[in-house]
Amino acid sequence: VYLLGLTACGFEPLYGDKDQGTATEDLLGRVAVSPIADRPGQLVRIELTNRLTPRPALEPLYVVNVELSESKRGLAVRRDASATRANLIITAKFDLIAIGREGSLMSGSIRSSNGYDILTSDFATFAAENDARRRGASDIADAIVDRLAIFLSRVSNQNAAPAKQ
């Protein structure tokens, strides 16, 4: 009963079969990911590639460029002014470009903040920080893929719509 109301408002699932346009998975499979600098960039690129092209890639029509910046912010502080908890903040700026065309089709920025404990053991703190970095890379990749999927789905539906006479 509720689903009938959703179809009347123009709601259409992002993934799955479509009446018009190309399937979102096929559109995402046409997006190549440019190399991203540094270790956090490698993690984000791996996550993006796994999400965009889980099966053998088709000939890319688009490329996504990503720039990352990373910062740390101490949260909980002891009496001696040393931090016991920190946030690792990763900010990503991305651009989607059609191959063979000038200019960006879409761009955006995403921020991920993941906390970790600062422990007495340097190795344990290093491992906790790296885990926060991996979680941040996954968050960034999820958000970029979501935005790309929505944008490409809309473009595909507009291109597939019959011309009005």
Side-chain angles (χ1 to χ4, degrees):
V1 175
Y2 294 112
L3 293 177
L4 293 175
L6 289 176
T7 59
C9 73
F11 174 79
E12 182 178 312
L14 187 58
Y15 294 97
D17 295 332
K18 293 185 174 194
D19 294 334
Q20 296 180 353
T22 307
T24 304
E25 294 89 353
D26 293 339
L27 293 169
L28 291 175
R30 300 271 189 166
V31 178
V33 182
S34 294
I36 309 169
D38 301 321
R39 180 63 182 152
Q42 291 174 337
L43 294 172
V44 170
R45 186 170 191 274
I46 289 167
E47 294 288 339
L48 276 172
T49 303
N50 289 343
R51 285 165 177 74
L52 293 172
T53 55
R55 52 185 182 243
L58 303 169
E59 184 70 29
L61 299 175
Y62 309 97
V63 64
V64 64
N65 298 319
V66 181
E67 289 182 29
L68 296 178
S69 63
E70 183 179 282
S71 62
K72 298 175 198 171
R73 180 173 295 145
L75 297 175
V77 181
R78 293 187 190 114
R79 290 180 195 243
D80 67 356
S82 62
T84 60
R85 181 124 179 108
N87 270 349
L88 180 70
I89 302 162
I90 302 173
T91 304
K93 294 179 182 176
F94 69 94
D95 289 303
L96 179 67
I97 299 167
I99 293 175
R101 292 193 189 155
E102 294 284 325
S104 175
L105 295 175
M106 77 166 291
S107 61
S109 64
I110 296 162
R111 183 176 161 167
S112 174
S113 179
N114 289 279
Y116 64 96
D117 291 326
I118 299 174
L119 307 165
T120 55
S121 165
D122 288 341
F123 179 76
T125 300
F126 178 75
E129 183 179 325
N130 279 338
D131 183 59
R133 187 171 289 114
R134 277 192 291 277
R135 287 181 281 136
S138 181
D139 292 345
I140 295 288
D142 285 341
I144 290 174
V145 169
D146 288 346
R147 291 185 187 182
L148 292 177
I150 292 167
F151 176 79
L152 292 173
S153 179
R154 286 181 183 163
V155 169
S156 172
N157 287 343
Q158 289 172 358
N159 291 339
K164 295 181 181 179
Q165 295 181 357

